[in-house]
Amino acid sequence: MRESYELAGARRERVGKGAARALRREAQLPAVIYGDKKDPLAVALPYKEVDLLIRGGGFLTTIGTIKVDGESHQVIAKDFQLDPVRDFPMHIDFLRVAKGAVLTVNVPVHFLNEETSPGLKAGGVLNVVRHEVELNCPANAIPEFLELDLSTAQLGDTLNISNIALPEGAEPTITDRDFVIATIASPAGLKSEDDDADAEGEEAEGGAEGDA
């Protein structure tokens, strides 16, 4: 789990696109804190600090604290908007985290030991079906990422959620099946050669039967 962060925020009296643009010109980032059966709270946060947190990775799986008017809000970022052209943060939605809460989060998957995978060394291709997995986790035990070891993965292997060791207390939101995370697919060239070999074998068998 990534180390927690703390931000100093200011209550926003004005909302809307115009007010948000004015905040960003002042190096502030508009955000809202909601949930835990309380009214939403519109806040302004220091742009540079938040941008560093987002760029550092794990932002959506890290519990943080935002202090506003002397009150501390324990939160987790649920979504953030980036400028489609310049890629800078424009707005963030934070969810309040109650004590003992269990949260639903999307956790990225990291693939280990690709260089030693027999299937990949033989020319196979790692076909990633899920780059992240939705988990239900205790708020104080959210993993920054999950690890899938490819060191023994062979050509044609299917790697499922059961191949990942989940942290204690964490479980996938999909519980009715052992869903696929990735496969080791044969390259197109190898498939073509195999198909040609099978076709030649069938022709040879057909010719032998005709001769008989």
Side-chain angles (χ1 to χ4, degrees), residues 86-122:
R86 291 171 287 180
D87 200 38
F88 60 74
M90 297 183 66
H91 186 274
I92 302 180
D93 292 335
F94 290 98
L95 176 67
R96 292 186 182 94
V97 178
K99 186 177 181 180
V102 174
L103 302 177
T104 300
V105 292
N106 289 309
V107 181
V109 180
H110 288 186
F111 298 90
L112 307 181
N113 301 315
E114 292 185 47
E115 67 283 355
T116 60
S117 163
L120 296 180
K121 289 172 70 175

PDB file of all heavy atoms in Angstrom, residues 86-122:
ATOM      1  N   ARG A  86      -3.580  19.123 -23.046  1.00  0.00           N
ATOM      2  CA  ARG A  86      -2.344  19.388 -22.294  1.00  0.00           C
ATOM      3  C   ARG A  86      -2.110  18.421 -21.141  1.00  0.00           C
ATOM      4  O   ARG A  86      -1.062  18.461 -20.502  1.00  0.00           O
ATOM      5  CB  ARG A  86      -2.360  20.834 -21.787  1.00  0.00           C
ATOM      6  CG  ARG A  86      -2.218  21.858 -22.928  1.00  0.00           C
ATOM      7  CD  ARG A  86      -2.448  23.269 -22.448  1.00  0.00           C
ATOM      8  NE  ARG A  86      -3.862  23.520 -22.162  1.00  0.00           N
ATOM      9  CZ  ARG A  86      -4.331  24.677 -21.730  1.00  0.00           C
ATOM     10  NH1 ARG A  86      -3.504  25.688 -21.518  1.00  0.00           N
ATOM     11  NH2 ARG A  86      -5.632  24.836 -21.505  1.00  0.00           N
ATOM     12  N   ASP A  87      -3.078  17.543 -20.861  1.00  0.00           N
ATOM     13  CA  ASP A  87      -2.891  16.445 -19.904  1.00  0.00           C
ATOM     14  C   ASP A  87      -2.646  16.923 -18.476  1.00  0.00           C
ATOM     15  O   ASP A  87      -2.012  16.235 -17.697  1.00  0.00           O
ATOM     16  CB  ASP A  87      -1.737  15.540 -20.368  1.00  0.00           C
ATOM     17  CG  ASP A  87      -1.811  14.161 -19.715  1.00  0.00           C
ATOM     18  OD1 ASP A  87      -2.925  13.645 -19.545  1.00  0.00           O
ATOM     19  OD2 ASP A  87      -0.749  13.621 -19.354  1.00  0.00           O
ATOM     20  N   PHE A  88      -3.147  18.088 -18.103  1.00  0.00           N
ATOM     21  CA  PHE A  88      -2.982  18.516 -16.713  1.00  0.00           C
ATOM     22  C   PHE A  88      -4.292  18.306 -15.956  1.00  0.00           C
ATOM     23  O   PHE A  88      -5.376  18.308 -16.543  1.00  0.00           O
ATOM     24  CB  PHE A  88      -2.510  19.970 -16.618  1.00  0.00           C
ATOM     25  CG  PHE A  88      -3.451  20.982 -17.243  1.00  0.00           C
ATOM     26  CD1 PHE A  88      -4.647  21.337 -16.629  1.00  0.00           C
ATOM     27  CD2 PHE A  88      -3.125  21.593 -18.452  1.00  0.00           C
ATOM     28  CE1 PHE A  88      -5.502  22.260 -17.197  1.00  0.00           C
ATOM     29  CE2 PHE A  88      -3.983  22.519 -19.025  1.00  0.00           C
ATOM     30  CZ  PHE A  88      -5.174  22.855 -18.398  1.00  0.00           C
ATOM     31  N   PRO A  89      -4.233  18.088 -14.622  1.00  0.00           N
ATOM     32  CA  PRO A  89      -5.450  17.842 -13.840  1.00  0.00           C
ATOM     33  C   PRO A  89      -6.395  19.040 -13.887  1.00  0.00           C
ATOM     34  O   PRO A  89      -5.961  20.192 -13.822  1.00  0.00           O
ATOM     35  CB  PRO A  89      -4.922  17.612 -12.416  1.00  0.00           C
ATOM     36  CG  PRO A  89      -3.485  17.254 -12.592  1.00  0.00           C
ATOM     37  CD  PRO A  89      -3.015  17.995 -13.791  1.00  0.00           C
ATOM     38  N   MET A  90      -7.690  18.730 -13.964  1.00  0.00           N
ATOM     39  CA  MET A  90      -8.693  19.795 -14.008  1.00  0.00           C
ATOM     40  C   MET A  90      -9.684  19.717 -12.843  1.00  0.00           C
ATOM     41  O   MET A  90     -10.192  20.735 -12.391  1.00  0.00           O
ATOM     42  CB  MET A  90      -9.463  19.728 -15.329  1.00  0.00           C
ATOM     43  CG  MET A  90      -8.604  19.964 -16.558  1.00  0.00           C
ATOM     44  SD  MET A  90      -9.584  19.971 -18.083  1.00  0.00           S
ATOM     45  CE  MET A  90     -10.589  21.434 -17.843  1.00  0.00           C
ATOM     46  N   HIS A  91      -9.951  18.506 -12.352  1.00  0.00           N
ATOM     47  CA  HIS A  91     -10.918  18.353 -11.263  1.00  0.00           C
ATOM     48  C   HIS A  91     -10.753  16.966 -10.653  1.00  0.00           C
ATOM     49  O   HIS A  91     -10.378  16.014 -11.345  1.00  0.00           O
ATOM     50  CB  HIS A  91     -12.351  18.521 -11.787  1.00  0.00           C
ATOM     51  CG  HIS A  91     -13.389  18.525 -10.707  1.00  0.00           C
ATOM     52  ND1 HIS A  91     -13.951  17.378 -10.206  1.00  0.00           N
ATOM     53  CD2 HIS A  91     -13.967  19.558 -10.030  1.00  0.00           C
ATOM     54  CE1 HIS A  91     -14.830  17.687  -9.262  1.00  0.00           C
ATOM     55  NE2 HIS A  91     -14.860  19.006  -9.140  1.00  0.00           N
ATOM     56  N   ILE A  92     -11.037  16.855  -9.342  1.00  0.00           N
ATOM     57  CA  ILE A  92     -10.926  15.566  -8.657  1.00  0.00           C
ATOM     58  C   ILE A  92     -12.162  15.337  -7.794  1.00  0.00           C
ATOM     59  O   ILE A  92     -12.654  16.257  -7.129  1.00  0.00           O
ATOM     60  CB  ILE A  92      -9.666  15.498  -7.766  1.00  0.00           C
ATOM     61  CG1 ILE A  92      -8.408  15.726  -8.586  1.00  0.00           C
ATOM     62  CG2 ILE A  92      -9.580  14.145  -7.069  1.00  0.00           C
ATOM     63  CD1 ILE A  92      -7.143  15.678  -7.777  1.00  0.00           C
ATOM     64  N   ASP A  93     -12.654  14.094  -7.811  1.00  0.00           N
ATOM     65  CA  ASP A  93     -13.723  13.664  -6.914  1.00  0.00           C
ATOM     66  C   ASP A  93     -13.109  12.782  -5.831  1.00  0.00           C
ATOM     67  O   ASP A  93     -12.459  11.771  -6.145  1.00  0.00           O
ATOM     68  CB  ASP A  93     -14.785  12.858  -7.668  1.00  0.00           C
ATOM     69  CG  ASP A  93     -15.567  13.712  -8.649  1.00  0.00           C
ATOM     70  OD1 ASP A  93     -15.654  14.934  -8.440  1.00  0.00           O
ATOM     71  OD2 ASP A  93     -16.085  13.150  -9.632  1.00  0.00           O
ATOM     72  N   PHE A  94     -13.332  13.164  -4.568  1.00  0.00           N
ATOM     73  CA  PHE A  94     -12.854  12.375  -3.432  1.00  0.00           C
ATOM     74  C   PHE A  94     -14.042  11.771  -2.690  1.00  0.00           C
ATOM     75  O   PHE A  94     -15.066  12.426  -2.494  1.00  0.00           O
ATOM     76  CB  PHE A  94     -12.066  13.248  -2.448  1.00  0.00           C
ATOM     77  CG  PHE A  94     -10.734  13.714  -2.938  1.00  0.00           C
ATOM     78  CD1 PHE A  94     -10.585  14.979  -3.478  1.00  0.00           C
ATOM     79  CD2 PHE A  94      -9.610  12.909  -2.835  1.00  0.00           C
ATOM     80  CE1 PHE A  94      -9.354  15.431  -3.925  1.00  0.00           C
ATOM     81  CE2 PHE A  94      -8.376  13.340  -3.275  1.00  0.00           C
ATOM     82  CZ  PHE A  94      -8.238  14.605  -3.824  1.00  0.00           C
ATOM     83  N   LEU A  95     -13.886  10.530  -2.246  1.00  0.00           N
ATOM     84  CA  LEU A  95     -14.890   9.858  -1.427  1.00  0.00           C
ATOM     85  C   LEU A  95     -14.424   9.854   0.024  1.00  0.00           C
ATOM     86  O   LEU A  95     -13.279   9.481   0.315  1.00  0.00           O
ATOM     87  CB  LEU A  95     -15.083   8.423  -1.914  1.00  0.00           C
ATOM     88  CG  LEU A  95     -16.037   7.537  -1.094  1.00  0.00           C
ATOM     89  CD1 LEU A  95     -17.478   8.045  -1.219  1.00  0.00           C
ATOM     90  CD2 LEU A  95     -15.932   6.089  -1.538  1.00  0.00           C
ATOM     91  N   ARG A  96     -15.290  10.275   0.939  1.00  0.00           N
ATOM     92  CA  ARG A  96     -14.968  10.184   2.362  1.00  0.00           C
ATOM     93  C   ARG A  96     -14.841   8.715   2.764  1.00  0.00           C
ATOM     94  O   ARG A  96     -15.626   7.875   2.324  1.00  0.00           O
ATOM     95  CB  ARG A  96     -16.042  10.853   3.212  1.00  0.00           C
ATOM     96  CG  ARG A  96     -16.129  12.367   3.072  1.00  0.00           C
ATOM     97  CD  ARG A  96     -17.136  12.928   4.082  1.00  0.00           C
ATOM     98  NE  ARG A  96     -17.268  14.372   3.938  1.00  0.00           N
ATOM     99  CZ  ARG A  96     -18.188  14.970   3.205  1.00  0.00           C
ATOM    100  NH1 ARG A  96     -19.047  14.231   2.513  1.00  0.00           N
ATOM    101  NH2 ARG A  96     -18.258  16.286   3.148  1.00  0.00           N
ATOM    102  N   VAL A  97     -13.890   8.430   3.623  1.00  0.00           N
ATOM    103  CA  VAL A  97     -13.652   7.060   4.067  1.00  0.00           C
ATOM    104  C   VAL A  97     -13.996   6.968   5.547  1.00  0.00           C
ATOM    105  O   VAL A  97     -13.326   7.560   6.390  1.00  0.00           O
ATOM    106  CB  VAL A  97     -12.185   6.642   3.840  1.00  0.00           C
ATOM    107  CG1 VAL A  97     -11.955   5.229   4.364  1.00  0.00           C
ATOM    108  CG2 VAL A  97     -11.834   6.717   2.359  1.00  0.00           C
ATOM    109  N   ALA A  98     -15.046   6.235   5.861  1.00  0.00           N
ATOM    110  CA  ALA A  98     -15.450   6.053   7.254  1.00  0.00           C
ATOM    111  C   ALA A  98     -14.553   5.011   7.919  1.00  0.00           C
ATOM    112  O   ALA A  98     -13.945   4.161   7.260  1.00  0.00           O
ATOM    113  CB  ALA A  98     -16.907   5.609   7.317  1.00  0.00           C
ATOM    114  N   LYS A  99     -14.465   5.068   9.229  1.00  0.00           N
ATOM    115  CA  LYS A  99     -13.645   4.122   9.973  1.00  0.00           C
ATOM    116  C   LYS A  99     -14.143   2.696   9.752  1.00  0.00           C
ATOM    117  O   LYS A  99     -15.333   2.410   9.845  1.00  0.00           O
ATOM    118  CB  LYS A  99     -13.692   4.463  11.469  1.00  0.00           C
ATOM    119  CG  LYS A  99     -12.757   3.614  12.317  1.00  0.00           C
ATOM    120  CD  LYS A  99     -12.783   4.048  13.762  1.00  0.00           C
ATOM    121  CE  LYS A  99     -11.833   3.204  14.604  1.00  0.00           C
ATOM    122  NZ  LYS A  99     -11.853   3.628  16.037  1.00  0.00           N
ATOM    123  N   GLY A 100     -13.229   1.789   9.426  1.00  0.00           N
ATOM    124  CA  GLY A 100     -13.585   0.394   9.198  1.00  0.00           C
ATOM    125  C   GLY A 100     -14.266   0.130   7.876  1.00  0.00           C
ATOM    126  O   GLY A 100     -14.809  -0.956   7.667  1.00  0.00           O
ATOM    127  N   ALA A 101     -14.230   1.099   6.970  1.00  0.00           N
ATOM    128  CA  ALA A 101     -14.941   0.955   5.692  1.00  0.00           C
ATOM    129  C   ALA A 101     -14.271  -0.074   4.795  1.00  0.00           C
ATOM    130  O   ALA A 101     -13.052  -0.273   4.827  1.00  0.00           O
ATOM    131  CB  ALA A 101     -14.992   2.303   4.972  1.00  0.00           C
ATOM    132  N   VAL A 102     -15.100  -0.730   3.987  1.00  0.00           N
ATOM    133  CA  VAL A 102     -14.623  -1.599   2.908  1.00  0.00           C
ATOM    134  C   VAL A 102     -14.932  -0.880   1.603  1.00  0.00           C
ATOM    135  O   VAL A 102     -16.069  -0.475   1.364  1.00  0.00           O
ATOM    136  CB  VAL A 102     -15.311  -2.975   2.940  1.00  0.00           C
ATOM    137  CG1 VAL A 102     -14.908  -3.802   1.728  1.00  0.00           C
ATOM    138  CG2 VAL A 102     -14.963  -3.710   4.223  1.00  0.00           C
ATOM    139  N   LEU A 103     -13.898  -0.691   0.779  1.00  0.00           N
ATOM    140  CA  LEU A 103     -14.044   0.096  -0.441  1.00  0.00           C
ATOM    141  C   LEU A 103     -13.933  -0.789  -1.688  1.00  0.00           C
ATOM    142  O   LEU A 103     -13.270  -1.828  -1.668  1.00  0.00           O
ATOM    143  CB  LEU A 103     -12.963   1.178  -0.498  1.00  0.00           C
ATOM    144  CG  LEU A 103     -12.915   2.161   0.675  1.00  0.00           C
ATOM    145  CD1 LEU A 103     -11.749   3.123   0.487  1.00  0.00           C
ATOM    146  CD2 LEU A 103     -14.220   2.928   0.794  1.00  0.00           C
ATOM    147  N   THR A 104     -14.571  -0.351  -2.742  1.00  0.00           N
ATOM    148  CA  THR A 104     -14.426  -0.992  -4.046  1.00  0.00           C
ATOM    149  C   THR A 104     -13.449  -0.157  -4.866  1.00  0.00           C
ATOM    150  O   THR A 104     -13.696   1.029  -5.118  1.00  0.00           O
ATOM    151  CB  THR A 104     -15.776  -1.088  -4.766  1.00  0.00           C
ATOM    152  OG1 THR A 104     -16.677  -1.864  -3.968  1.00  0.00           O
ATOM    153  CG2 THR A 104     -15.622  -1.758  -6.117  1.00  0.00           C
ATOM    154  N   VAL A 105     -12.325  -0.760  -5.246  1.00  0.00           N
ATOM    155  CA  VAL A 105     -11.269  -0.027  -5.952  1.00  0.00           C
ATOM    156  C   VAL A 105     -10.781  -0.846  -7.146  1.00  0.00           C
ATOM    157  O   VAL A 105     -10.854  -2.079  -7.144  1.00  0.00           O
ATOM    158  CB  VAL A 105     -10.073   0.289  -5.027  1.00  0.00           C
ATOM    159  CG1 VAL A 105     -10.460   1.292  -3.961  1.00  0.00           C
ATOM    160  CG2 VAL A 105      -9.538  -0.983  -4.379  1.00  0.00           C
ATOM    161  N   ASN A 106     -10.289  -0.152  -8.156  1.00  0.00           N
ATOM    162  CA  ASN A 106      -9.648  -0.795  -9.304  1.00  0.00           C
ATOM    163  C   ASN A 106      -8.138  -0.789  -9.086  1.00  0.00           C
ATOM    164  O   ASN A 106      -7.526   0.279  -8.986  1.00  0.00           O
ATOM    165  CB  ASN A 106      -9.998  -0.060 -10.594  1.00  0.00           C
ATOM    166  CG  ASN A 106     -11.440  -0.263 -10.993  1.00  0.00           C
ATOM    167  OD1 ASN A 106     -11.920  -1.390 -11.062  1.00  0.00           O
ATOM    168  ND2 ASN A 106     -12.156   0.813 -11.241  1.00  0.00           N
ATOM    169  N   VAL A 107      -7.556  -1.965  -9.003  1.00  0.00           N
ATOM    170  CA  VAL A 107      -6.129  -2.108  -8.688  1.00  0.00           C
ATOM    171  C   VAL A 107      -5.388  -2.603  -9.926  1.00  0.00           C
ATOM    172  O   VAL A 107      -5.769  -3.631 -10.512  1.00  0.00           O
ATOM    173  CB  VAL A 107      -5.927  -3.088  -7.508  1.00  0.00           C
ATOM    174  CG1 VAL A 107      -4.444  -3.223  -7.178  1.00  0.00           C
ATOM    175  CG2 VAL A 107      -6.711  -2.615  -6.287  1.00  0.00           C
ATOM    176  N   PRO A 108      -4.332  -1.906 -10.352  1.00  0.00           N
ATOM    177  CA  PRO A 108      -3.598  -2.335 -11.548  1.00  0.00           C
ATOM    178  C   PRO A 108      -2.848  -3.650 -11.332  1.00  0.00           C
ATOM    179  O   PRO A 108      -2.467  -3.986 -10.205  1.00  0.00           O
ATOM    180  CB  PRO A 108      -2.617  -1.178 -11.798  1.00  0.00           C
ATOM    181  CG  PRO A 108      -2.494  -0.483 -10.482  1.00  0.00           C
ATOM    182  CD  PRO A 108      -3.805  -0.649  -9.787  1.00  0.00           C
ATOM    183  N   VAL A 109      -2.645  -4.369 -12.425  1.00  0.00           N
ATOM    184  CA  VAL A 109      -1.903  -5.634 -12.399  1.00  0.00           C
ATOM    185  C   VAL A 109      -0.513  -5.402 -12.978  1.00  0.00           C
ATOM    186  O   VAL A 109      -0.376  -4.827 -14.066  1.00  0.00           O
ATOM    187  CB  VAL A 109      -2.630  -6.720 -13.214  1.00  0.00           C
ATOM    188  CG1 VAL A 109      -1.837  -8.035 -13.187  1.00  0.00           C
ATOM    189  CG2 VAL A 109      -4.041  -6.944 -12.678  1.00  0.00           C
ATOM    190  N   HIS A 110       0.516  -5.847 -12.258  1.00  0.00           N
ATOM    191  CA  HIS A 110       1.890  -5.810 -12.755  1.00  0.00           C
ATOM    192  C   HIS A 110       2.299  -7.236 -13.137  1.00  0.00           C
ATOM    193  O   HIS A 110       2.064  -8.180 -12.379  1.00  0.00           O
ATOM    194  CB  HIS A 110       2.846  -5.271 -11.689  1.00  0.00           C
ATOM    195  CG  HIS A 110       2.707  -3.799 -11.448  1.00  0.00           C
ATOM    196  ND1 HIS A 110       3.560  -3.096 -10.625  1.00  0.00           N
ATOM    197  CD2 HIS A 110       1.824  -2.892 -11.929  1.00  0.00           C
ATOM    198  CE1 HIS A 110       3.205  -1.826 -10.603  1.00  0.00           C
ATOM    199  NE2 HIS A 110       2.146  -1.676 -11.383  1.00  0.00           N
ATOM    200  N   PHE A 111       2.919  -7.369 -14.303  1.00  0.00           N
ATOM    201  CA  PHE A 111       3.330  -8.684 -14.806  1.00  0.00           C
ATOM    202  C   PHE A 111       4.820  -8.866 -14.573  1.00  0.00           C
ATOM    203  O   PHE A 111       5.633  -8.077 -15.060  1.00  0.00           O
ATOM    204  CB  PHE A 111       2.974  -8.813 -16.288  1.00  0.00           C
ATOM    205  CG  PHE A 111       1.489  -8.729 -16.539  1.00  0.00           C
ATOM    206  CD1 PHE A 111       0.881  -7.504 -16.787  1.00  0.00           C
ATOM    207  CD2 PHE A 111       0.710  -9.870 -16.501  1.00  0.00           C
ATOM    208  CE1 PHE A 111      -0.480  -7.412 -16.992  1.00  0.00           C
ATOM    209  CE2 PHE A 111      -0.659  -9.793 -16.713  1.00  0.00           C
ATOM    210  CZ  PHE A 111      -1.253  -8.561 -16.954  1.00  0.00           C
ATOM    211  N   LEU A 112       5.163  -9.909 -13.821  1.00  0.00           N
ATOM    212  CA  LEU A 112       6.549 -10.152 -13.429  1.00  0.00           C
ATOM    213  C   LEU A 112       7.184 -11.251 -14.273  1.00  0.00           C
ATOM    214  O   LEU A 112       6.515 -12.167 -14.734  1.00  0.00           O
ATOM    215  CB  LEU A 112       6.603 -10.557 -11.946  1.00  0.00           C
ATOM    216  CG  LEU A 112       5.912  -9.639 -10.934  1.00  0.00           C
ATOM    217  CD1 LEU A 112       6.096 -10.188  -9.522  1.00  0.00           C
ATOM    218  CD2 LEU A 112       6.444  -8.217 -11.030  1.00  0.00           C
ATOM    219  N   ASN A 113       8.509 -11.147 -14.431  1.00  0.00           N
ATOM    220  CA  ASN A 113       9.338 -12.199 -15.041  1.00  0.00           C
ATOM    221  C   ASN A 113       8.945 -12.533 -16.476  1.00  0.00           C
ATOM    222  O   ASN A 113       9.002 -13.693 -16.891  1.00  0.00           O
ATOM    223  CB  ASN A 113       9.295 -13.479 -14.180  1.00  0.00           C
ATOM    224  CG  ASN A 113       9.794 -13.236 -12.766  1.00  0.00           C
ATOM    225  OD1 ASN A 113      10.817 -12.575 -12.576  1.00  0.00           O
ATOM    226  ND2 ASN A 113       9.070 -13.740 -11.789  1.00  0.00           N
ATOM    227  N   GLU A 114       8.607 -11.510 -17.239  1.00  0.00           N
ATOM    228  CA  GLU A 114       8.322 -11.740 -18.657  1.00  0.00           C
ATOM    229  C   GLU A 114       9.547 -12.300 -19.376  1.00  0.00           C
ATOM    230  O   GLU A 114       9.429 -13.105 -20.297  1.00  0.00           O
ATOM    231  CB  GLU A 114       7.885 -10.432 -19.322  1.00  0.00           C
ATOM    232  CG  GLU A 114       6.540  -9.906 -18.847  1.00  0.00           C
ATOM    233  CD  GLU A 114       6.088  -8.685 -19.617  1.00  0.00           C
ATOM    234  OE1 GLU A 114       6.163  -8.715 -20.858  1.00  0.00           O
ATOM    235  OE2 GLU A 114       5.664  -7.702 -18.981  1.00  0.00           O
ATOM    236  N   GLU A 115      10.748 -11.862 -18.930  1.00  0.00           N
ATOM    237  CA  GLU A 115      11.976 -12.274 -19.622  1.00  0.00           C
ATOM    238  C   GLU A 115      12.305 -13.750 -19.417  1.00  0.00           C
ATOM    239  O   GLU A 115      13.091 -14.333 -20.172  1.00  0.00           O
ATOM    240  CB  GLU A 115      13.152 -11.408 -19.163  1.00  0.00           C
ATOM    241  CG  GLU A 115      13.584 -11.592 -17.711  1.00  0.00           C
ATOM    242  CD  GLU A 115      12.677 -10.900 -16.700  1.00  0.00           C
ATOM    243  OE1 GLU A 115      11.745 -10.191 -17.125  1.00  0.00           O
ATOM    244  OE2 GLU A 115      12.927 -11.063 -15.489  1.00  0.00           O
ATOM    245  N   THR A 116      11.719 -14.405 -18.403  1.00  0.00           N
ATOM    246  CA  THR A 116      12.015 -15.824 -18.159  1.00  0.00           C
ATOM    247  C   THR A 116      10.833 -16.737 -18.496  1.00  0.00           C
ATOM    248  O   THR A 116      10.930 -17.944 -18.327  1.00  0.00           O
ATOM    249  CB  THR A 116      12.420 -16.038 -16.682  1.00  0.00           C
ATOM    250  OG1 THR A 116      11.346 -15.619 -15.823  1.00  0.00           O
ATOM    251  CG2 THR A 116      13.674 -15.238 -16.341  1.00  0.00           C
ATOM    252  N   SER A 117       9.739 -16.179 -18.956  1.00  0.00           N
ATOM    253  CA  SER A 117       8.574 -16.999 -19.307  1.00  0.00           C
ATOM    254  C   SER A 117       8.905 -17.903 -20.491  1.00  0.00           C
ATOM    255  O   SER A 117       9.288 -17.418 -21.563  1.00  0.00           O
ATOM    256  CB  SER A 117       7.386 -16.101 -19.669  1.00  0.00           C
ATOM    257  OG  SER A 117       6.404 -16.828 -20.362  1.00  0.00           O
ATOM    258  N   PRO A 118       8.765 -19.222 -20.345  1.00  0.00           N
ATOM    259  CA  PRO A 118       9.053 -20.127 -21.471  1.00  0.00           C
ATOM    260  C   PRO A 118       8.204 -19.808 -22.701  1.00  0.00           C
ATOM    261  O   PRO A 118       8.686 -19.876 -23.838  1.00  0.00           O
ATOM    262  CB  PRO A 118       8.716 -21.513 -20.904  1.00  0.00           C
ATOM    263  CG  PRO A 118       8.850 -21.358 -19.421  1.00  0.00           C
ATOM    264  CD  PRO A 118       8.406 -19.967 -19.124  1.00  0.00           C
ATOM    265  N   GLY A 119       6.942 -19.466 -22.477  1.00  0.00           N
ATOM    266  CA  GLY A 119       6.062 -19.168 -23.606  1.00  0.00           C
ATOM    267  C   GLY A 119       6.467 -17.923 -24.359  1.00  0.00           C
ATOM    268  O   GLY A 119       6.446 -17.888 -25.598  1.00  0.00           O
ATOM    269  N   LEU A 120       6.857 -16.889 -23.633  1.00  0.00           N
ATOM    270  CA  LEU A 120       7.282 -15.652 -24.281  1.00  0.00           C
ATOM    271  C   LEU A 120       8.646 -15.824 -24.947  1.00  0.00           C
ATOM    272  O   LEU A 120       8.893 -15.275 -26.024  1.00  0.00           O
ATOM    273  CB  LEU A 120       7.314 -14.510 -23.263  1.00  0.00           C
ATOM    274  CG  LEU A 120       5.957 -14.125 -22.648  1.00  0.00           C
ATOM    275  CD1 LEU A 120       6.119 -12.990 -21.647  1.00  0.00           C
ATOM    276  CD2 LEU A 120       4.956 -13.743 -23.739  1.00  0.00           C
ATOM    277  N   LYS A 121       9.522 -16.599 -24.320  1.00  0.00           N
ATOM    278  CA  LYS A 121      10.834 -16.851 -24.921  1.00  0.00           C
ATOM    279  C   LYS A 121      10.707 -17.647 -26.213  1.00  0.00           C
ATOM    280  O   LYS A 121      11.543 -17.541 -27.113  1.00  0.00           O
ATOM    281  CB  LYS A 121      11.733 -17.586 -23.923  1.00  0.00           C
ATOM    282  CG  LYS A 121      12.193 -16.712 -22.751  1.00  0.00           C
ATOM    283  CD  LYS A 121      12.904 -17.512 -21.690  1.00  0.00           C
ATOM    284  CE  LYS A 121      14.253 -17.987 -22.153  1.00  0.00           C
ATOM    285  NZ  LYS A 121      15.003 -18.671 -21.057  1.00  0.00           N
ATOM    286  N   ALA A 122       9.642 -18.439 -26.320  1.00  0.00           N
ATOM    287  CA  ALA A 122       9.417 -19.237 -27.527  1.00  0.00           C
ATOM    288  C   ALA A 122       8.723 -18.430 -28.626  1.00  0.00           C
ATOM    289  O   ALA A 122       8.382 -18.965 -29.670  1.00  0.00           O
ATOM    290  CB  ALA A 122       8.586 -20.472 -27.180  1.00  0.00           C
TER     291      ALA A 122
END
